[in-house]
Amino acid sequence: MKNTLLTFIALGSAVLSASAQGLDSSTATAIKNHFSSVLEGKDEKYVSDIKIPYSDIATYRSSVWDQWKDANDGYSEIKLPTLPTRYDGQLRIPAVWEIPADLEPQASLKYAWGRLGSSSDACPLIIFLHGSGAKETEWELAKTLAPSFDSKPAIYFIPQFPNEELNGVNYRRWWQKGKQWVWEKIIRQVNLRDEIDINKVYFIGISEGAYGSQRLGTYYADYLAGIAPMAGGEPLNNAPCENLRHVAVHFRTGSNDNGFYRSTLTQACGDSLDLLQQQYPDGYVHDVKTVAGADHTLPKYGEAFPWLVQQTRTTNPKHINWEDYTMDGNWRKGFYNIEVTRRSFPINCNRTYYQMDIDGNNINMQVRGLYYETTNDYNNPYGDDLVLNFNRHYATTTSGEFKVYLNNDLVDLSKPVTLTVNGKKMFNSKLQPNLADMVNSTALFYDKERVYPTHIDVNLDNMTADGPTSGIDSLTADDADENAPIEYYNLQGIRIEKPTEKGIYIRRQGSKATKIAIH
């Protein structure tokens, strides 16, 4: 074999640097084609060695988002129609969305869509979920109530259940996987619309719609500014309040609304949010009450709106509490700036609880497994699925993988970043912005506020960072283990055997890593 010389090189050099003018035509085409494949359902990561100078992050962020918009424009699907600047007397019914049959059979979802009030500016979006009575009656009630709410100007999306019961299955639930397909389609499409303020998106609902808005609020919290359930009350294991740190909650249920323990569970939600706000005073804004003397019909459904539409989404919070759980069998791929790439749970646990706190350029995370122990000690006529009382049990997670995406709203990317997970320093280095992370975070979140230029990979199995991203500029930590085995990675962070081909690689020993060049 030909002799190979490994030479240590200065860590500040770049393999490929991006142009200050933005994407060249061939790269732009490749990114658009990748986005098109993502929209068609292919689950692949974009790979690129292109690094981006710190001064050009905004330029490239805009260019990547333009390619995402172009790919969506060319994607064959029914779009949300453009709206006139003024409400024209009725909420329109522009289209029917056919939910994929493998998610819900024979599911044609009708919706009303329109602007209430006049505005030439971007407006809040209110997704209004009706109750579980006869779907035509409930839908008409929601469409009638919406113009009476003090929320103008606002854009409303008011869907109707596609099915009530079919083949013995009750489909009167807004959180089922077929409807999740709808919410994620809406999230993707409204992020492309100039007439919608994506930082003012709200779920509201009455009765079954209250259950839906409470569940969806905790599941999709990173896209929302607020929720307003009315006459509901989910068990908190279905809708953990911890996820609502940056989502404003307005909740009303009648004090005499005792069916399915609605008033009791509404109060439980309020109590939980009270405790969380005491612990984390920066968040958990809420106004939760039971209405004295009211039953399942509330005297004032529009009470929430003057308060609710003043709330604005926190797009890149430095403090996150996330209980990662399944909804109708589906997991979220990520939450705020965290992407889960491999789940693993301690014994008995079936959820993961992430806590992230950023102070300057220091990121501290706690990652724990979690399970709920039901402690109902009464005769529950509604079955074991309706949990009033429980204990949470936590265990430190020692397996699994995730990514922490970062931008200059979260840290100063021109300086070294430290990441500590479960008390162990996992990363201490400078991060280089790169094109691959911008593309992959866009495809993951569909969110113009979350086009992230870099990330840190974390592998909990051995409590070390599992390989650098494609753009890491320096990887030297201050707690290197000189006795650890030597490992090699390419610039995409993929572990390889000892390299022999010409190129630039990462040589890692314990927590210390250095770029090397093979000539």
Side-chain angles (χ1 to χ4, degrees):
M1 179 184 294
K2 186 177 180 179
N3 289 335
T4 303
L5 175 66
L6 273 66
T7 306
F8 291 88
I9 65 170
L11 298 181
S13 62
V15 182
L16 287 173
S17 292
S19 163
Q21 282 69 46
L23 301 173
D24 61 57
S25 59
S26 62
T27 303
T29 299
I31 291 172
K32 180 181 174 180
N33 290 340
H34 174 78
F35 284 150
S36 296
S37 71
V38 169
L39 293 170
E40 293 290 346
K42 294 183 180 178
D43 187 16
E44 297 176 353
K45 293 292 188 182
Y46 181 79
V47 177
S48 171
D49 287 328
I50 294 178
K51 297 182 178 183
I52 298 172
Y54 297 104
S55 60
D56 293 338
I57 289 175
T59 299
Y60 276 84
R61 179 178 180 272
S62 178
S63 296
V64 169
W65 187 254
D66 285 344
Q67 299 311 309
W68 174 247
K69 290 176 67 175
D70 287 349
N72 275 267
D73 288 345
Y75 179 48
S76 180
E77 63 176 344
I78 297 175
K79 317 285 188 187
L80 290 167
T82 302
L83 293 168
T85 58
R86 182 169 180 79
Y87 167 55
D88 61 1
Q90 66 178 354
L91 290 166
R92 300 182 171 197
I93 308 172
V96 174
W97 282 353
E98 301 292 340
I99 295 174
D102 60 330
L103 302 178
E104 183 172 329
Q106 303 174 39
S108 299
L109 182 135
K110 292 195 296 185
Y111 61 92
W113 168 252
R115 186 194 305 265
L116 300 178
S118 60
S119 176
S120 58
D121 297 326
C123 291
L125 172 66
I126 297 173
I127 302 172
F128 187 3
L129 309 178
H130 66 67
S132 63
K135 67 179 187 177
E136 287 293 340
T137 302
E138 296 282 353
W139 191 41
E140 290 302 323
L141 173 62
K143 290 189 291 178
T144 300
L145 283 173
S148 71
F149 296 151
D150 187 8
S151 59
K152 305 175 187 64
I155 293 168
Y156 275 80
F157 182 95
I158 307 178
Q160 183 190 65
F161 281 144
N163 295 307
E164 294 176 297
E165 288 196 21
L166 186 66
N167 300 325
V169 178
N170 183 1
Y171 285 106
R172 300 184 190 90
R173 302 289 184 264
W174 291 113
W175 44 264
Q176 289 164 323
K177 62 181 64 175
K179 272 72 81 175
Q180 290 178 44
W181 177 87
V182 174
W183 311 136
E184 290 171 20
K185 183 182 178 76
I186 289 174
I187 286 166
R188 175 169 54 80
Q189 289 198 13
V190 301
N191 263 275
L192 304 167
R193 305 296 293 266
D194 292 335
E195 69 265 41
I196 296 170
D197 185 343
I198 63 164
N199 293 323
K200 287 184 173 292
V201 178
Y202 313 91
F203 275 109
I204 71 169
I206 298 172
S207 189
E208 187 62 46
Y211 296 128
S213 59
Q214 190 179 354
R215 280 207 189 196
L216 296 170
T218 62
Y219 195 69
Y220 294 115
D222 47 332
Y223 293 101
L224 303 177
I227 60 173
M230 295 171 274
E234 272 285 353
L236 296 186
N237 61 319
N238 292 337
C241 291
E242 282 73 5
N243 291 8
L244 298 170
R245 186 165 181 171
H246 304 288
V247 177
V249 180
H250 192 285
F251 199 165
R252 294 290 186 269
T253 298
S255 63
N256 296 332
D257 191 356
N258 298 318
F260 300 96
Y261 299 109
R262 281 185 283 261
S263 61
T264 300
L265 288 165
T266 297
Q267 189 60 55
C269 177
D271 292 344
S272 179
L273 290 169
D274 285 345
L275 291 171
L276 286 164
Q277 192 175 52
Q278 291 173 21
Q279 187 175 3
Y280 306 103
D282 68 303
Y284 295 106
V285 174
H286 64 283
D287 184 350
V288 180
K289 294 184 177 72
T290 55
V291 181
D295 52 22
H296 196 48
T297 301
L298 292 174
K300 190 177 179 182
Y301 285 113
E303 180 181 355
F305 293 94
W307 180 88
L308 190 70
V309 295
Q310 298 303 312
Q311 311 301 323
T312 301
R313 176 174 70 138
T314 303
T315 54
N316 284 285
K318 294 191 177 187
H319 306 284
I320 294 173
N321 297 60
W322 178 32
E323 189 171 311
D324 180 23
Y325 67 100
T326 59
M327 192 165 67
D328 199 23
N330 287 344
W331 296 92
R332 285 291 307 277
K333 293 181 180 179
F335 192 77
Y336 288 108
N337 64 317
I338 300 169
E339 178 187 5
V340 181
T341 51
R342 179 170 60 84
R343 287 180 174 84
S344 183
F345 305 105
I347 294 174
N348 295 326
C349 295
N350 57 7
R351 304 182 182 201
T352 304
Y353 187 48
Y354 296 85
Q355 292 179 268
M356 184 188 78
D357 294 284
I358 300 178
D359 182 8
N361 270 29
N362 296 308
I363 307 169
N364 184 62
M365 297 187 68
Q366 295 292 321
V367 183
R368 293 175 289 169
L370 166 65
Y371 74 93
Y372 284 72
E373 177 193 16
T374 301
T375 58
N376 291 349
D377 55 359
Y378 55 90
N379 183 19
N380 179 3
Y382 301 113
D384 293 339
D385 289 340
L386 200 161
V387 177
L388 283 184
N389 302 314
F390 56 81
N391 291 321
R392 285 190 179 97
H393 297 275
Y394 296 90
T396 298
T397 297
T398 58
S399 185
E401 296 177 82
F402 61 92
K403 299 178 185 290
V404 180
Y405 284 99
L406 296 168
N407 61 15
N408 277 316
D409 291 332
L410 294 168
V411 295
D412 183 348
L413 292 177
S414 69
K415 299 177 180 178
V417 174
T418 299
L419 173 64
T420 302
V421 181
N422 293 342
K424 180 175 178 60
K425 187 179 290 184
M426 304 283 282
F427 184 84
N428 179 26
S429 186
K430 193 175 179 182
L431 290 158
Q432 172 67 50
N434 64 92
L435 185 62
D437 280 330
M438 283 191 169
V439 173
N440 289 323
S441 58
T442 300
L444 175 66
F445 295 116
Y446 314 153
D447 189 342
K448 67 178 71 174
E449 302 290 348
R450 288 188 280 175
V451 181
Y452 290 109
T454 192
H455 81 271
I456 300 171
D457 276 314
V458 178
N459 183 344
L460 293 172
D461 291 88
N462 53 15
M463 291 300 291
T464 63
D466 186 24
T469 67
S470 60
I472 289 180
D473 194 38
S474 168
L475 288 168
T476 303
D478 58 10
D479 56 353
D481 180 2
E482 299 299 334
N483 296 317
I486 295 173
E487 301 170 344
Y488 295 93
Y489 297 84
N490 64 19
L491 289 177
Q492 283 71 51
I494 300 172
R495 186 174 176 180
I496 59 175
E497 296 297 324
K498 186 173 181 179
T500 57
E501 300 294 327
K502 180 185 295 186
I504 298 177
Y505 301 89
I506 302 296
R507 179 184 184 274
R508 177 181 295 281
Q509 186 174 20
S511 56
K512 182 177 181 180
T514 315
K515 280 184 180 178
I516 59 173
I518 298 179
H519 298 287

